[in-house]
Amino acid sequence: MRLTRYFLPVLKETPAEAQIVSHRLMLRAGMIKQSSAGIYSWLPLGYKVLKNIETIVHEEQQRAGHIPLLMPTLQSADLWRESGRYDDYGEEMLRIQDRHGRDMLYGPTNEELVTDIFRSHVSSYKDLPLTLYHIQWKFRDERRPRFGVMRGREFYMKDGYNFDLTKEDALHAYNRHLVSYLRTYERMGLQAIPMRADGGPIGGDYTHEFLVLAETGESEVFYDSAVTDLSFGDREIDYDDVAQCQGVLEEFTTKYARTDETHDEALFNEIPEERRRVARGIEVGQIFYFGTKYSDALGATVQGPDGKPVSVHMGSHGIGVSRLLGAIIEASHDENGIIWPEGVTPFHAGIVNLKQGDAEADAACEDLYAKMSAMGLEPLYDDRNERAGGKFATMDLIGLPWRITVGPRGLKNGVVELTSRKTGESEELAPDAALNKIAAIYGKQ
């Protein structure tokens, strides 16, 4: 993409309403624009990152054997009355009526709707196990929406639901989700720690939240510092292997890590003092097992092996897709702007032309742009007739992991400058060598 043809409304000043880093930088980088309190338009740069995050979530869910579908944003109140949650959920639920006076709601979650789909089409234990998920917009009418996409009213979320014949099968689904979430977050350059949490309005005795440590986190967290040494890495796992998935769960949840709602001071004090940590965390996902709570309420049964009806065991598993974008920025930025991890970056590299209009510099930039595009990479070419300082400031603000700087002086020596946004380190390379290095980083060679 050429910057002269792109819509990137960057701001020089920080809007007064932005209280935390991610909100400030998303507004300044032209990623979002507030429509009303807690509701945002996603502008092109923000939308690209949002879709990159969504793609990773889809890939890891399907790797784990989970099946995508798409449910509507508006739901019938009748289903929620069946489950008993319509009146219990509280004022966060937006309740509306259609022109015929039928009670509707803008879905804050989808347990009832997906259970209705299941009970309408699945009748035998032979069709289990089954996990369905979707990525859809949700709405919760927060009393005080703040912090940009971190605590908005409208948000983009992956929510998945497992249906299993027994508790043991459902707990394997729980473990399978935990493994897939660890892979998902690490691909985004995040360390998201699974912490024992409270079930809240969804319910469930087994539940873990995944939290990214950040000073601006809304949750107080207590943990053993040894948990931050854990990494899933590039290990392969068989999601059908019960013992293997259980082993990963034990590896990542045995060490103490809890949110303030489930914190146990006595257990915490058993950790060696030098490893006790109290910090803030940003929730980016949560997994639940809640047994037959919804299947009992909504009549979701299957014919068991003995021919008798059995209520299925269920769990609910969510990832805050839009919230992740803010969490990544909170975890990866400096005083100049965002630092995108390579897994989610909106463009793979920026090309900065130091002297637009110079025949040799223009030709070199065009050549790099064409070759990168042919390799399946997406460059952002700053071809504006602007001062070099302004171009560098824009690139630092929007946070592309790599920048290739092209100028007449370097070209006389046959080199361009390749700069890492994360480290700030630069090296002079021949144009093709710089291109090949970037291609290797992204596995495009």
Side-chain angles (χ1 to χ4, degrees):
M1 177 60 66
R2 300 170 192 275
L3 196 47
T4 54
R5 298 181 184 177
Y6 197 54
F7 182 61
L8 186 67
V10 297
L11 304 176
K12 291 183 179 179
E13 303 297 328
T14 299
E17 73 269 20
Q19 300 175 22
I20 63 171
V21 168
S22 59
H23 194 192
R24 290 198 296 269
L25 291 177
M26 289 182 75
L27 290 170
R28 285 199 56 218
M31 300 180 73
I32 56 173
K33 183 183 185 303
Q34 182 170 297
S35 171
S36 59
I39 301 175
Y40 293 88
S41 294
W42 289 78
L43 306 183
L45 193 75
Y47 183 64
K48 279 182 71 68
V49 180
L50 186 69
K51 299 306 287 186
N52 288 344
I53 292 171
E54 179 183 2
T55 295
I56 291 173
V57 173
H58 272 302
E59 288 175 353
E60 293 304 330
Q61 284 302 294
Q62 291 173 53
R63 186 197 296 263
H66 307 156
I67 303 169
L69 77 167
L70 185 62
M71 291 176 275
T73 56
L74 294 180
Q75 301 180 30
S76 168
D78 291 342
L79 282 173
W80 285 68
R81 290 191 176 107
E82 274 193 73
S83 71
R85 285 207 301 173
Y86 185 70
D87 294 321
D88 293 345
Y89 201 89
E91 294 183 355
E92 287 77 19
M93 182 190 290
L94 181 63
R95 297 164 170 84
I96 57 178
Q97 285 190 338
D98 66 13
R99 65 170 65 192
H100 302 292
R102 290 178 294 228
D103 290 329
M104 308 286 288
L105 58 99
Y106 193 136
T109 184
N110 281 70
E111 283 80 9
E112 285 81 0
L113 193 56
V114 76
T115 306
D116 181 55
I117 292 170
F118 177 88
R119 71 182 179 183
S120 299
H121 298 288
V122 180
S123 58
S124 171
Y125 76 95
K126 295 178 181 178
D127 295 320
L128 303 179
L130 177 66
T131 295
L132 302 173
Y133 82 93
H134 75 159
I135 299 177
Q136 179 62 288
W137 291 100
K138 302 282 192 293
F139 188 91
R140 294 176 189 164
D141 200 2
E142 295 277 353
R143 183 185 298 274
R144 291 180 58 239
R146 60 195 188 279
F147 304 153
V149 301
M150 299 291 290
R151 188 172 285 279
R153 293 193 295 163
E154 185 183 57
F155 54 96
Y156 204 41
M157 180 177 171
K158 172 261 162 182
D159 46 322
Y161 306 91
N162 66 282
F163 301 88
D164 290 277
L165 184 63
T166 67
K167 179 178 179 178
E168 292 72 25
D169 292 341
L171 289 179
H172 173 55
Y174 184 95
N175 298 348
R176 192 172 64 239
H177 278 85
L178 182 136
V179 175
S180 70
Y181 279 24
L182 292 172
R183 288 184 58 98
T184 297
Y185 297 128
E186 287 191 13
R187 282 187 61 187
M188 297 176 189
L190 289 173
Q191 183 178 46
I193 302 169
M195 298 192 178
R196 188 171 296 279
D198 180 68
I202 291 177
D205 296 329
Y206 294 79
T207 179
H208 282 86
E209 286 180 350
F210 292 78
L211 288 105
V212 174
L213 299 176
E215 293 179 1
T216 52
E218 72 274 70
S219 300
E220 187 175 30
V221 297
F222 303 80
Y223 63 97
D224 181 339
S225 65
V227 77
T228 60
D229 296 328
L230 299 174
S231 173
F232 189 83
D234 58 0
R235 71 180 88 171
E236 290 298 324
I237 190 161
D238 179 357
Y239 282 102
D240 292 327
D241 188 323
V242 173
Q244 197 175 22
C245 290
Q246 177 68 23
V248 174
L249 174 115
E250 291 173 359
E251 177 186 351
F252 280 84
T253 63
T254 299
K255 294 179 173 61
Y256 190 93
R258 297 195 179 196
T259 62
D260 49 2
E261 293 137 330
T262 61
H263 175 55
D264 185 319
E265 192 69 23
L267 288 176
F268 186 60
N269 288 335
E270 292 178 7
I271 303 168
E273 186 175 0
E274 67 274 12
R275 296 202 330 242
R276 290 180 216 151
R277 299 287 187 274
V278 181
R280 310 295 298 181
I282 300 168
E283 181 200 341
V284 292
Q286 189 164 3
I287 56 177
F288 301 85
Y289 161 72
F290 42 65
T292 60
K293 174 181 177 178
Y294 294 95
S295 53
D296 284 342
L298 297 168
T301 62
V302 295
Q303 185 183 57
D306 59 1
K308 296 179 181 179
V310 179
S311 291
V312 294
H313 288 254
M314 292 177 58
S316 172
H317 315 278
I319 289 180
V321 176
S322 53
R323 170 178 271 240
L324 267 169
L325 204 148
I328 291 169
I329 295 173
E330 292 291 333
S332 186
H333 68 273
D334 62 17
E335 66 276 7
N336 296 318
I338 302 164
I339 305 173
W340 289 119
E342 281 139 358
V344 300
T345 181
F347 296 95
H348 295 106
I351 301 172
V352 172
N353 190 339
L354 292 180
K355 194 170 183 181
Q356 201 71 38
D358 178 87
E360 190 176 4
D362 289 355
C365 289
E366 292 290 346
D367 187 58
L368 283 167
Y369 183 83
K371 288 179 177 177
M372 287 181 71
S373 300
M375 286 178 152
L377 295 166
E378 275 196 278
L380 180 64
Y381 173 24
D382 191 342
D383 58 343
R384 299 173 300 164
N385 190 20
E386 297 282 346
R387 296 176 59 182
K391 292 187 174 187
F392 289 148
T394 296
M395 285 293 174
D396 283 346
L397 174 61
I398 66 175
L400 306 186
W402 297 95
R403 184 186 76 223
I404 300 176
T405 305
V406 181
R409 184 178 301 176
L411 290 174
K412 287 181 181 178
N413 297 317
V415 296
V416 296
E417 186 178 69
L418 179 63
T419 304
S420 165
R421 177 69 180 87
K422 185 175 182 178
T423 67
E425 295 176 355
S426 297
E427 58 180 324
E428 292 187 337
L429 298 167
D432 282 347
L435 175 60
N436 289 334
K437 183 169 183 176
I438 292 174
I441 289 167
Y442 291 105
K444 297 292 186 179
Q445 279 189 324

